[in-house]
Amino acid sequence: MKKHLITTEWNEDDFNRMFLPGIAIDAVIFGFHDQRLMVLLLQYKNTNAFALPGGFIMKHENGNDAAQRILKDRTGLSNIYLEQFYTFADISRHDTSFFKKIMKARGMKPTKNHFLLNRFISIGYYALVDFTKAVPTTDLLADECKWHDLKELPPLIQDHQQIIQKALSTLRQDLDIKLVGFNLLPETFTIGDLQNLYETILDTKFLRTSFQRKILNLGILKMVDKKMTGAAHKAPYLYKFSTK
Amino acid sequence: MKKHLITTEWNEDDFNRMFLPGIAIDAVIFGFHDQRLMVLLLQYKNTNAFALPGGFIMKHENGNDAAQRILKDRTGLSNIYLEQFYTFADISRHDTSFFKKIMKARGMKPTKNHFLLNRFISIGYYALVDFTKAVPTTDLLADECKWHDLKELPPLIQDHQQIIQKALSTLRQDLDIKLVGFNLLPETFTIGDLQNLYETILDTKFLRTSFQRKILNLGILKMVDKKMTGAAHKAPYLYKFSTK
DNA sequence: ACAAAAGTGTTAGCCTTACACCCATGA
DNA sequence: TCATGGGTGTAAGGCTAACACTTTTGT
């Protein structure tokens, strides 16, 4: 049976045999819920530190495939919208205190040249997932894997705060050009939902009427059906993203 | 005396001691000359293969600093406009035939696990330089370092063709947003020069009068002086990029 | 009926396109 | 003076901001 997840049973040789050394992948997984932009974070056992989900590239594996694998492991989803946005390669990233703590707590030996304690560069990917479909899944080193409001992030290890910041600014740039926002919504949604999403991500307000026309004039939405929310107002139309 | 360039005297241990393994930097250095967008390429001795200038990250060096160092080595210029655009991490990149050929020709032993023959991921940077100021400089492994017309590229090693393509498409996106085009021109230039540059990079034509107004309305150009070309027409104004 | 949110119509302003016209210079 | 390219003026069209108005639903 293949070991797909990092387990506490792994020793130094396992890492060295399986993965490219010195190269990590960090994933900023965005979800949208309750008018808030959320990020998936891991909390490690016996620490107060939170971290982005990440992993390594197997010796026979493409970088992008590794990113998809990591995302599948943490969310259960395949074919996720994924975008590589930056590679972080400063020496100041090289902070081993966190990994040492974890390794000790897990009974792994922090030997001097251990795979995990070397300098790493990290390839940053951001992912957009349907919050209602993703199932946050812990790995064996972590305590929990949970959504966090982007506006109320806990303390993060290493440079993960900056990685999230850069992911967000890339997402903001891509939002209008690549029209990626739909990946954060369920299959059908109202224009109001979409406007909330845009306003949250870009941290601005749009005029309702102008936004509606702008989006519909793009010609990429298909009307699906009426929504009967039971709310005390006119039921909005539901739309679907149309690739055509 | 520090060894700043890769020399033929280096042995395997030198590489392993100095550089991060498995991580390369490739630089797509753009220049503009004679209405053409040019790229700096190295040709290696005793081969027909051309390659992008590149290098490795020293163990105590930031990734971005390594890129600046590589650019300084190939162009003589410091403080170059530099932008990281993508990290290439496919397995299919791992093509050792080229390096083996060079190493043999240079009298280096292509041992099985030689630093240069392992799988590499490559961090791609693009640079914009003033063609009139850059001094293409060969390294010791290469035969020559020369500008090549982007439209008439020679055969390139590995995936360097795709790297250039991705650099170009990123440059095209950045051109309007980040207003980086000025880095390709001398300190002072005419609107006509700038229009030629834009038309070449984006491979489109603009209306002369509209382009003029669009650029000037950005408020980032400062008029400097009259140009006396000696050409048989009205002398155009010279402009300077104004950071303010 | 009324409040609340969705949808549509209309006008003004801005930017770009398109083209006409004037300006300066050297042959 | 004439050809050539640079600079400005002006009108049409498209997009967005702003706001008024209508439509639909549950209380």
Side-chain angles (χ1 to χ4, degrees):
Chain A
M1 180 178 157
K2 276 186 193 171
K3 300 183 193 175
H4 261 180
L5 298 170
I6 294 178
T7 78
T8 55
E9 297 148 29
W10 282 19
N11 61 34
E12 195 167 338
D13 285 342
D14 286 327
F15 282 107
N16 287 326
R17 192 167 44 242
M18 289 200 66
F19 297 116
L20 298 181
I23 302 168
I25 285 179
D26 282 314
V28 182
I29 307 174
F30 289 113
F32 185 63
H33 179 63
D34 218 19
Q35 320 271 56
R36 291 174 305 168
L37 195 56
M38 313 291 275
V39 184
L40 208 57
L41 295 179
L42 293 167
Q43 180 173 30
Y44 285 89
K45 294 178 180 172
N46 310 320
T47 71
N48 291 322
F50 289 76
L52 289 169
F56 310 111
I57 303 175
M58 294 197 271
K59 295 212 165 163
H60 61 283
E61 184 183 40
N62 288 332
N64 291 342
D65 295 338
Q68 285 282 1
R69 171 174 54 79
I70 289 163
L71 265 105
K72 167 107 191 199
D73 286 346
R74 292 296 136 261
T75 65
L77 300 177
S78 305
N79 279 57
I80 290 179
Y81 181 84
L82 194 59
E83 195 87 28
Q84 189 202 296
F85 65 93
Y86 199 75
T87 295
F88 300 86
D90 277 5
I91 340 176
S92 58
R93 307 191 73 241
H94 188 40
D95 167 16
T96 58
S97 59
F98 171 72
F99 275 116
K100 277 184 183 160
K101 209 182 294 179
I102 292 194
M103 289 171 74
K104 276 182 187 162
R106 301 283 90 211
M108 296 159 85
K109 260 195 191 147
T111 51
K112 190 157 183 294
N113 285 317
H114 192 285
F115 181 92
L116 289 174
L117 298 180
N118 284 318
R119 173 181 173 188
F120 270 85
I121 71 161
S122 176
I123 308 177
Y125 286 82
Y126 78 80
L128 305 181
V129 305
D130 178 348
F131 184 90
T132 62
K133 289 205 178 135
V135 182
T137 310
T138 311
D139 69 25
L140 288 177
L141 283 181
D143 209 18
E144 56 168 47
C145 180
K146 276 194 184 161
W147 291 106
H148 290 257
D149 187 338
L150 196 66
K151 296 211 163 171
E152 294 168 10
L153 289 180
L156 295 160
I157 66 161
Q158 293 175 349
D159 57 350
H160 286 199
Q161 176 75 49
Q162 286 124 275
I163 295 179
I164 292 176
Q165 211 47 53
K166 182 99 181 171
L168 179 61
S169 68
T170 309
L171 170 60
R172 284 178 172 166
Q173 279 179 31
D174 290 352
L175 201 58
D176 276 327
I177 303 171
K178 300 185 182 167
L179 303 170
V180 296
F182 309 101
N183 296 292
L184 286 165
L185 293 173
E187 210 174 328
T188 62
F189 48 86
T190 68
I191 306 283
D193 293 337
L194 192 59
Q195 181 171 355
N196 281 331
L197 175 67
Y198 268 67
E199 290 182 344
T200 304
I201 293 179
L202 300 175
D203 199 26
T204 50
K205 289 288 172 193
F206 295 101
L207 266 177
R208 185 180 57 85
T209 55
S210 303
F211 184 83
Q212 171 124 355
R213 251 183 296 255
K214 186 166 75 177
I215 294 294
L216 289 180
N217 282 343
L218 294 175
I220 52 173
L221 291 191
K222 214 168 56 188
M223 194 180 291
V224 180
D225 212 353
K226 277 263 189 177
K227 185 188 185 186
M228 312 291 269
T229 55
H233 57 75
K234 182 176 179 180
Y237 293 110
L238 282 175
Y239 289 89
K240 211 165 107 176
F241 181 67
S242 139
T243 42
K244 196 171 56 173
Chain B
M1 181 179 159
K2 276 187 193 171
K3 300 182 193 176
H4 261 180
L5 299 169
I6 294 179
T7 78
T8 55
E9 298 149 28
W10 283 19
N11 62 33
E12 196 167 337
D13 284 342
D14 286 327
F15 281 107
N16 287 326
R17 192 168 44 244
M18 288 201 65
F19 297 115
L20 298 182
I23 302 169
I25 285 179
D26 282 314
V28 182
I29 307 174
F30 289 113
F32 186 63
H33 178 63
D34 218 19
Q35 319 271 56
R36 291 174 307 169
L37 195 55
M38 313 291 276
V39 184
L40 208 56
L41 296 179
L42 293 167
Q43 180 172 30
Y44 285 89
K45 294 178 180 171
N46 311 319
T47 72
N48 291 321
F50 289 76
L52 289 169
F56 309 109
I57 303 175
M58 294 197 271
K59 294 210 165 165
H60 60 282
E61 185 183 39
N62 287 333
N64 291 341
D65 295 338
Q68 285 282 2
R69 170 174 55 79
I70 289 162
L71 265 103
K72 168 108 193 199
D73 287 345
R74 293 297 136 259
T75 65
L77 301 176
S78 305
N79 280 55
I80 290 180
Y81 180 83
L82 193 60
E83 194 86 28
Q84 188 202 298
F85 64 93
Y86 198 75
T87 295
F88 300 86
D90 277 4
I91 339 177
S92 58
R93 306 191 73 241
H94 189 40
D95 168 15
T96 58
S97 59
F98 171 73
F99 275 116
K100 277 184 183 160
K101 210 182 292 178
I102 292 193
M103 289 171 74
K104 276 180 188 164
R106 301 281 92 212
M108 295 159 86
K109 260 197 192 147
T111 51
K112 191 158 181 294
N113 286 316
H114 192 285
F115 180 91
L116 290 174
L117 299 180
N118 284 319
R119 174 182 173 188
F120 269 85
I121 70 162
S122 177
I123 308 177
Y125 285 82
Y126 77 81
L128 305 180
V129 305
D130 178 348
F131 184 91
T132 62
K133 289 206 180 135
V135 182
T137 309
T138 312
D139 69 26
L140 288 176
L141 282 181
D143 210 17
E144 55 169 47
C145 180
K146 275 193 183 163
W147 291 105
H148 290 256
D149 187 339
L150 195 66
K151 296 210 165 175
E152 294 169 10
L153 289 180
L156 295 160
I157 67 161
Q158 294 176 349
D159 56 349
H160 285 199
Q161 176 75 49
Q162 287 122 276
I163 294 180
I164 292 176
Q165 211 46 52
K166 182 98 182 172
L168 179 60
S169 67
T170 309
L171 170 59
R172 283 178 172 166
Q173 280 178 33
D174 290 351
L175 201 56
D176 277 327
I177 304 171
K178 301 185 182 167
L179 304 169
V180 296
F182 309 101
N183 296 292
L184 285 165
L185 294 173
E187 210 173 329
T188 63
F189 48 87
T190 69
I191 306 281
D193 294 336
L194 192 59
Q195 181 171 356
N196 282 330
L197 174 67
Y198 268 67
E199 290 182 342
T200 304
I201 294 180
L202 300 175
D203 199 26
T204 51
K205 289 287 172 194
F206 295 101
L207 267 176
R208 183 180 58 86
T209 55
S210 305
F211 184 84
Q212 171 123 357
R213 250 184 295 254
K214 187 167 74 177
I215 294 294
L216 289 180
N217 280 345
L218 294 176
I220 52 173
L221 291 192
K222 213 168 55 187
M223 194 181 291
V224 179
D225 211 354
K226 277 264 190 180
K227 184 186 182 185
M228 312 292 270
T229 54
H233 56 74
K234 180 176 179 181
Y237 293 111
L238 282 175
Y239 290 88
K240 212 165 109 175
F241 180 68
S242 138
T243 40
K244 196 169 54 166

